[in-house]
Amino acid sequence: MVVKRRKRTDSSDEKGNILFCGVGGQGILLASEVVGYALIQNGFDVKKSEVHGMAQRGGSVEAFLRFGKKVYSPLIEPTTVDIQVSFELLESLRYLPMLGKQSRIIVNTQKIPPLSVSTGIETYPDGIIERLKGFGLEVYPIDAFQISKEIGEVRTVNMVLVGALSNFLPVDEDAFLDVIKWRVPERFREVNLEAFKRGRGLIDNIK
Amino acid sequence: MKKSSKYLLLSGNEAIALGAFEASVKVASAYPGTPSTEILEALSQYEGVYTEWAPNEKVAMEVALGASFAGVRAMVSMKHVGLNVASDPLFTAAYTGVRGGLVVVTADDPEMHSSQNAQDNRNYSIASKIPMLEPSDSHEAKEFTKIAFRLSERFDTPVLLRTTTRVSHVSGIVRKGKIEESRVEPGIVKIPEKFVMLPVNARKRRVELHRRLQKLRKYAERFPENRLFWANPEIGVITSGVSYLYVREALPEVSVLKLGMVYPLPERLIKDFASKVKRLYVVEELDPFLELQIKAMGVECIGKEVIPEYGELNPELVRAAIVGKKKRRVFSSVDIPRRPPVMCPGCPHRGLFYVLSKLKVFVSGDIGCYTLAASRPLSAMDTCVCMGASVGGAHGMEKALGEDSLGKIVAVIGDSTFVHSGITGLIDIVYNKGFSTVIILDNRTTAMTGHQPNPASGITVKGEKTEEIDLEALCKAIGVKHVYTVNPHDINTTKKIIEKELKRSAPSVIITKYPCVLLPEERRKKKPIYMVISEKCKGCRICLKIGCPAIHWTAGKGKRKGKARIDAILCNGCGECELLCKFNAIVIEENGGEKKKKN
Ligand code: SF4
Ligand code: SF4
């Protein structure tokens, strides 16, 4: 798990706050790690924060990834998320106080009902994408689950989303491909690379 | 020129493991506990280090101390409450001191992301008189670990290294460093006046401990990791750990004294800093640990008047406390269904708690995935205090209430938790003529912390086979006459046995034995997939009572009745819902057995 770090030639002060959110077991931690390494390869300082343990049993999970020349706090402050990558539809509505007018949202339209919904106590809200758009936010809905099924491995949802996210980051495609190659176990490498490429190709079509 | 240095993105825990490896640690022992678990897991991947999961933190501490006595560098790691368990050897290890460097890592959880309390383990350093280092990020986590080993040998003391969740589980850039060797000679050395804490020796060591602390106090004044960052002298902040990062983020304009060693404190340095700033703040999570010590020096400072005394801090809280600005939210949160953690589909604990909820017994609970049974719809756990408390607690309730309580109380405890500290509770029940029913939930792993093997699963941290504790034989040897093992997915048999044993006026143990569905071997197994035959489903909702996330309810419309449906991707084929359905509407999908779960 060692990468080369390129010296940033431009004296840019590019920085960003990425919020990953979804449901425990969806591969969020691997996704944020791949993005983190790709950013490091491009010379950025990175801090990635996540919570392990109990929440991972099918509960809401979130991970913060911050990058820039120098990053102090591992936590993203409310209203300052640049990109939210939501691995599940309902979860995209859970972190509104973290968002601001500048926030872009990449959202997997897959629905995973919480237990209160699947047992019929509550209902899964309708019109989530419309609500987000109604806030004036830039929203990119993606059916990553469907794409992963087409690829033949439902556990590549995370890499489809990383691919989509990659369009918005100051990192070249090769860095991502490199990282996926050494970070993902051999037998899943090809499907994950494909998932990444499929995801990366999506955004233009949506725009 | 292209820079080609090697960078790693490591969590604080992984960085501690790398630091220990670079410090040539030879023996490391731990008991899993969030947020500390990955330290030993990462360390077990390095060559040349002996690593082990101990049955509990006290044993882990003793193993590390023994290794230190043998002259090698040793480390023990645990979550904050684990140090309570290990505190007995810890306090006396302060007296004996060490031979090989000994580092004790405690990972606190101020926000209780995955803990039952939020104790501030910095207090252990004062109480045990052991120096404590506090890193703020992964880079420091690695460096401080190496420093801790050096200090340990130099000052002849164990050294505490304290992290919090936001250090342990935050990843940052780390560079590999040089391997350092200890200069201590390994071997058996008899030094009774140092190692045998009979009162006559202990009294002398107590004086030694005092001298050592004096030396450490002096050393703290020039400890390079107590760092000054000069800026505007209007406001000065003393801080440590992750709070330092929040201060730098939120208030780049203030002067900062960052303490890498939080005990003992550099009194002169602090007084000097205080004298050069107009207003002095102390920014720390949880207890006013630094603040009280600083105030005791006679230094005026502002701390818990403005900084919250519980929960995690963040840049916004720090900014609001010191310069009184809080950002306005752009969007406020909306009311949507919550998503608390739940037991996995096919979890071997589910059926058991369904049975207990039906029996309406008081469930004396414990710590593990099964604590999730406290939430709806199972709502079948009535206490949860600490590792092992279920067993002693049930016995205590029964002694308090006498014969009246027979059949009304049951203790539930996981396999790993039972080995950790349930065994002694069971001995108490037998010895003192109790009649408790204790259920050991043997899912073959320590699931909640990420599936670490334990003495009852017969596998080591390195994945090697080892002797497996025979829980049945163990309970019998303790003197429990009635011991049964049952497959908890067989709800009906489980219920019958529990009903019978609850009525017994003698101690009994029921072991519900079935592997956790997330274990790799389980994932690879071919499993049947269940489905609901819609025409047969009468909409009685009984299958929903077990709270399996794979079973979905579709509400009825008009005349059409509501019906249950099973999500084939989620179903893990435990068959519990089939047993519950009175209308035979739940069956194995045709070719269901063929669908191999992908790994
Ligand atoms: S991880 Fe294992 S023990 Fe924990 S809830 Fe899932 S199946 Fe049950
Ligand atoms: S068999 Fe029934 S209870 Fe078991 S995992 Fe499948 S749907 Fe859930």
Side-chain angles (χ1 to χ4, degrees):
Chain A
M1 298 214 295
V2 169
V3 295
K4 299 233 170 66
R5 191 186 192 191
R6 212 164 298 154
K7 197 169 186 176
R8 289 194 74 71
T9 41
D10 49 345
S11 57
S12 76
D13 49 358
E14 274 172 302
K15 56 184 179 163
N17 293 332
I18 310 171
L19 165 68
F20 295 88
C21 59
V23 180
Q26 281 193 301
I28 292 179
L29 304 190
L30 177 64
S32 60
E33 187 177 330
V34 166
V35 179
Y37 266 115
L39 285 159
I40 292 178
Q41 273 204 22
N42 277 256
F44 286 103
D45 186 19
V46 162
K47 279 217 170 75
K48 179 166 82 76
S49 182
E50 57 208 32
V51 166
H52 299 206
M54 193 166 241
Q56 278 172 299
R57 300 279 164 266
S60 298
V61 287
E62 73 210 34
F64 298 146
L65 183 66
R66 305 190 67 216
F67 66 94
K69 224 195 241 161
K70 167 83 191 157
V71 179
Y72 286 106
S73 167
L75 301 179
I76 298 178
E77 290 191 56
T79 75
T80 68
V81 166
D82 294 301
I83 309 178
Q84 168 178 301
V85 186
S86 184
F87 282 51
E88 199 270 350
L89 186 58
L90 175 60
E91 294 308 304
S92 65
L93 270 183
R94 203 176 294 284
Y95 302 89
L96 284 170
M98 298 298 290
L99 308 183
K101 291 274 179 231
Q102 76 290 348
S103 306
R104 287 192 174 109
I105 302 180
I106 296 170
V107 50
N108 178 16
T109 52
Q110 182 186 359
K111 290 184 186 179
I112 303 175
L115 204 59
S116 62
V117 171
S118 61
T119 52
I121 297 166
E122 289 182 281
T123 47
Y124 198 101
D126 280 329
I128 292 176
I129 302 286
E130 292 67 36
R131 266 169 100 173
L132 289 170
K133 284 185 176 161
F135 291 131
L137 295 164
E138 212 176 292
V139 186
Y140 299 92
I142 288 172
D143 194 346
F145 188 56
Q146 179 57 33
I147 295 170
S148 73
K149 278 199 279 193
E150 287 164 24
I151 292 168
E153 173 53 77
V154 290
R155 274 180 294 166
T156 57
V157 163
N158 56 354
M159 260 347 118
V160 175
L161 291 165
V162 169
L165 168 66
S166 71
N167 290 294
F168 300 106
L169 299 178
V171 174
D172 47 79
E173 181 170 3
D174 287 349
F176 283 100
L177 298 178
D178 280 357
V179 175
I180 294 171
K181 273 181 210 148
W182 60 255
R183 183 57 188 80
V184 173
E186 171 122 39
R187 48 200 181 112
F188 297 118
R189 199 165 292 161
E190 282 314 310
V191 282
N192 275 288
L193 287 170
E194 195 187 332
F196 173 84
K197 286 178 192 155
R198 288 285 300 271
R200 188 168 169 94
L202 281 176
I203 295 298
D204 284 339
N205 302 337
I206 299 173
K207 269 195 232 165
Chain B
M1 225 173 57
K2 209 170 155 188
K3 221 177 166 185
S4 61
S5 333
K6 291 182 168 178
Y7 292 87
L8 296 162
L9 178 60
L10 297 187
S11 69
N13 283 346
E14 292 165 326
I16 290 172
L18 178 58
F21 172 72
E22 288 180 358
S24 296
V25 69
K26 286 290 173 294
V27 171
S29 188
Y31 183 81
T34 313
S36 73
T37 313
E38 300 82 8
I39 299 171
L40 192 85
E41 276 182 338
L43 196 50
S44 73
Q45 305 295 313
Y46 291 100
E47 298 276 330
V49 190
Y50 168 79
T51 48
E52 62 162 41
W53 289 125
N56 66 32
E57 295 85 354
K58 177 176 184 288
V59 175
M61 176 77 214
E62 290 152 355
V63 168
L65 184 59
S68 161
F69 285 171
V72 306
R73 288 188 166 177
M75 186 165 81
V76 53
S77 50
M78 60 200 79
K79 71 181 291 170
H80 57 347
V81 287
L83 196 55
N84 300 337
V85 181
S87 62
D88 195 357
L90 179 82
F91 277 67
T92 305
Y95 284 55
T96 62
V98 303
R99 280 230 308 127
L102 174 59
V103 175
V104 181
V105 186
T106 160
D108 293 10
D109 188 9
E111 190 67 40
M112 293 179 270
H113 292 287
S114 201
S115 302
Q116 66 272 38
N117 78 27
Q119 64 188 53
D120 187 335
N121 273 12
R122 293 178 301 169
N123 294 304
Y124 269 112
S125 63
I126 288 194
S128 66
K129 301 178 173 53
I130 292 175
M132 177 179 269
L133 305 185
E134 198 181 18
S136 61
D137 62 13
S138 296
H139 165 74
E140 286 186 356
K142 191 193 96 168
E143 297 308 321
F144 283 22
T145 304
K146 295 172 87 169
I147 294 170
F149 278 107
R150 277 179 239 141
L151 292 183
S152 172
E153 285 171 5
R154 175 163 165 199
F155 291 94
D156 184 17
T157 174
V159 174
L160 282 157
L161 184 79
R162 185 239 189 189
T163 66
T164 54
T165 303
R166 298 297 182 183
V167 176
S168 291
H169 288 163
V170 166
S171 300
I173 297 179
V174 173
R175 291 183 65 168
K176 282 194 177 177
K178 282 200 205 84
I179 308 277
E180 308 174 356
E181 296 288 342
S182 158
R183 259 175 274 156
V184 180
E185 197 60 43
I188 296 177
V189 191
K190 294 195 180 188
I191 327 173
E193 63 282 10
K194 177 169 159 61
F195 291 161
V196 185
M197 284 308 97
L198 277 168
V200 54
N201 292 336
R203 277 185 213 112
K204 286 184 201 130
R205 292 299 297 178
R206 179 63 187 84
V207 179
E208 188 50 46
L209 179 51
H210 180 74
R211 278 197 205 118
R212 177 205 297 158
L213 261 183
Q214 294 302 102
K215 275 190 225 157
L216 276 161
R217 285 201 175 97
K218 260 196 208 140
Y219 175 75
E221 302 287 353
R222 58 197 155 82
F223 179 54
E225 294 299 336
N226 289 335
R227 289 177 188 274
L228 272 168
F229 299 88
W230 275 115
N232 191 336
E234 275 304 303
I235 297 178
V237 175
I238 299 180
T239 184
S240 71
V242 75
S243 304
Y244 160 75
L245 298 176
Y246 301 150
V247 170
R248 290 303 298 268
E249 180 83 31
L251 307 165
E253 67 283 0
V254 305
S255 297
V256 178
L257 171 58
K258 173 190 188 296
L259 298 170
M261 194 192 296
V262 293
Y263 184 79
L265 289 182
E267 187 165 341
R268 254 192 302 128
L269 189 63
I270 288 170
K271 284 184 169 163
D272 191 49
F273 181 71
S275 70
K276 288 181 183 145
V277 295
K278 267 222 183 106
R279 250 184 318 150
L280 181 63
Y281 288 88
V282 179
V283 177
E284 57 191 324
E285 285 175 337
L286 300 177
D287 297 348
F289 175 83
L290 300 172
E291 182 186 338
L292 291 182
Q293 292 185 74
I294 291 167
K295 282 187 170 153
M297 295 170 189
V299 174
E300 235 177 86
C301 60
I302 310 166
K304 292 298 166 187
E305 300 95 306
V306 295
I307 303 287
E309 211 164 341
Y310 54 85
E312 280 177 350
L313 295 181
N314 58 52
E316 189 180 40
L317 278 173
V318 171
R319 194 183 299 115
I322 294 181
V323 294
K325 269 190 264 171
K326 206 161 181 176
K327 270 203 196 110
R328 286 211 12 222
R329 302 291 183 262
V330 182
F331 307 107
S332 34
S333 48
V334 289
D335 195 20
I336 52 171
R338 287 183 58 236
R339 194 189 297 272
V342 286
M343 287 179 195
C344 308
C347 173
H349 301 325
R350 180 172 284 111
L352 167 72
F353 286 97
Y354 174 71
V355 167
L356 294 178
S357 73
K358 286 272 124 189
L359 293 174
K360 299 203 166 48
V361 283
F362 186 94
V363 180
S364 181
D366 227 298
I367 310 253
C369 279
Y370 50 93
T371 316
L372 294 171
S375 32
R376 287 200 305 177
L378 293 166
S379 309
M381 186 163 297
D382 301 298
T383 65
C384 167
V385 179
C386 69
M387 298 286 287
S390 60
V391 184
H395 178 62
M397 285 186 76
E398 286 166 350
K399 286 291 171 189
L401 302 173
E403 286 291 320
D404 279 353
S405 65
L406 186 66
K408 293 182 187 152
I409 298 164
V410 65
V412 296
I413 183 166
D415 48 346
S416 190
T417 313
F418 179 70
V419 176
H420 180 286
S421 40
I423 299 172
T424 40
L426 190 61
I427 291 173
D428 189 41
I429 291 171
V430 173
Y431 169 54
N432 289 307
K433 303 180 180 179
F435 51 77
S436 307
T437 306
V438 176
I439 303 178
I440 303 174
L441 293 75
D442 182 6
N443 64 347
R444 323 296 302 141
T445 187
T446 315
M448 178 58 90
T449 44
H451 304 90
Q452 292 73 32
N454 65 56
S457 48
I459 299 165
T460 69
V461 66
K462 301 241 186 202
E464 294 151 358
K465 271 208 166 314
T466 180
E467 201 65 48
E468 174 183 327
I469 302 288
D470 182 339
L471 292 177
E472 246 189 56
L474 175 72
C475 295
K476 284 182 182 157
I478 286 172
V480 182
K481 300 263 165 15
H482 311 279
V483 184
Y484 307 88
T485 299
V486 46
N487 172 0
H489 288 318
D490 182 351
I491 297 182
N492 299 327
T493 313
T494 306
K495 181 154 181 255
K496 262 186 224 140
I497 293 182
I498 296 176
E499 272 176 325
K500 194 168 117 229
E501 291 314 308
L502 274 172
K503 287 193 199 111
R504 198 187 288 284
S505 46
S508 48
V509 170
I510 302 164
I511 302 167
T512 60
K513 189 165 176 176
Y514 202 90
C516 163
V517 294
L518 290 189
L519 284 173
E521 311 84 75
E522 279 300 297
R523 287 186 188 223
R524 278 195 290 271
K525 262 190 210 159
K526 275 189 187 168
K527 287 182 186 157
I529 305 294
Y530 285 79
M531 62 174 282
V532 179
I533 305 173
S534 198
E535 302 77 59
K536 284 196 178 180
C537 173
K538 298 264 193 278
C540 73
R541 303 176 62 104
I542 191 163
C543 59
L544 298 172
K545 299 253 158 70
I546 50 174
C548 173
I551 309 178
H552 294 191
W553 177 252
T554 317
K557 255 199 202 122
K559 271 192 182 164
R560 216 183 62 228
K561 271 196 189 147
K563 284 187 195 293
R565 177 177 62 80
I566 290 174
D567 183 332
I569 290 180
L570 293 177
C571 174
N572 273 317
C574 72
E576 289 182 5
C577 53
E578 182 196 21
L579 293 177
L580 287 180
C581 180
K582 296 198 177 77
F583 307 102
N584 298 322
I586 301 183
V587 296
I588 294 180
E589 253 183 38
E590 250 176 85
N591 300 324
E594 296 304 307
K595 186 184 153 187
K596 195 172 173 282
K597 286 253 140 178
K598 282 199 180 131
N599 191 11

